[in-house]
């Protein structure tokens, strides 16, 4: 089966590790470090090596599992989330958006810039609904480090499996 998700640079041989979350699993670059978050719906955080820090931001990827009160399609969940993010994040600027597949099912993604307490950030979020849960995989980096580490997010998206 073909996938619409872009892959990393051809010929790249990134060693990966597997992270087993609550009801999901994913692969991530072996040089990154997983940690258990302390709060909310965040199921897991994976951070780049400390040397990757640029402009005060350590590139990281987190997975959110959001219990949904209403029955929503992936498209409905994505559009509602995009509207919420655009309204809450200072200086929100949509860079790009599109469709992909995660775990063989349709998914949506967006790439955007915003400012958190004066710090410039760039994020890519991938969205999918399965049953009564919304899954969001978010990659965060400084704008200057975004392209360099985007491949790590794509590895996570391609490998993400829901149990």
């Amino acid at each position: 089966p073909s996938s619409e998700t872009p892959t990393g640079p051809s010929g790249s041989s990134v060693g990966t590790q597997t992270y087993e979350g609550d009801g999901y699993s994913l692969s991530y670059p072996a040089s990154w470090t997983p940690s258990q978050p302390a709060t909310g719906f965040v199921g897991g955080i994976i951070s780049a090596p400390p040397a990757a820090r640029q402009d005060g931001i350590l590139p990281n990827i987190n997975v959110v599992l959001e219990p949904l009160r209403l029955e929503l399609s992936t498209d409905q969940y994505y559009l509602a989330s995009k509207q919420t993010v655009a309204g809450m994040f200072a200086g929100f600027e949509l860079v790009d958006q599109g469709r992909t597949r995660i775990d063989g099912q349709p998914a949506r993604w967006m790439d955007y810039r915003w400012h958190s307490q004066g710090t410039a950030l760039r994020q890519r979020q991938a969205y999918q609904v399965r049953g009564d849960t919304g899954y969001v995989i978010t990659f965060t980096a400084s704008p200057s480090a975004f392209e360099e580490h985007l491949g790590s997010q794509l590895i996570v998206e391609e490998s993400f499996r829901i149990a």
Side-chain angles (χ1 to χ4, degrees):
S2 66
S3 171
E4 298 169 39
T5 303
T7 58
S10 59
S12 69
S13 55
V14 177
T16 61
Q17 299 282 335
T18 300
Y19 178 84
E20 299 282 340
D22 185 19
Y24 68 93
S25 66
L26 57 85
S27 294
Y28 62 92
S31 61
W32 287 48
T33 306
S35 60
Q36 291 290 336
T39 60
F41 299 135
V42 178
I45 299 174
I46 303 157
S47 300
R53 183 178 301 274
Q54 284 188 33
D55 304 321
I57 305 297
L58 183 63
N60 66 84
I61 296 169
N62 71 58
V63 177
V64 168
L65 285 64
E66 181 179 4
L68 302 177
R69 293 187 185 91
L70 303 171
E71 190 172 315
L72 295 174
S73 69
T74 292
D75 282 350
Q76 290 168 324
Y77 182 59
Y78 165 72
L79 293 171
S81 297
K82 183 170 79 167
Q83 185 175 16
T84 299
V85 168
M88 286 178 50
F89 289 8
F92 175 86
E93 176 193 345
L94 184 67
V95 175
D96 200 4
Q97 61 184 333
R99 296 179 184 278
T100 187
R101 297 185 81 74
I102 294 176
D103 195 14
Q105 301 295 315
R108 299 285 300 263
W109 62 269
M110 70 174 170
D111 169 355
Y112 57 92
R113 293 185 186 96
W114 67 289
H115 293 85
S116 175
Q117 300 173 343
T119 300
L121 297 172
R122 187 162 169 197
Q123 294 183 302
R124 174 182 165 115
Q125 291 187 311
Y127 296 84
Q128 188 177 71
V129 171
R130 291 285 192 91
D132 59 359
T133 304
Y135 294 85
V136 185
I137 307 168
T138 303
F139 165 56
T140 304
S142 66
S144 62
F146 185 86
E147 295 295 338
E148 178 184 349
H149 296 285
L150 178 60
S152 298
Q153 169 77 357
L154 300 179
I155 288 169
V156 171
E157 288 179 23
E158 287 178 2
S159 66
F160 193 84
R161 298 293 178 265
I162 298 168

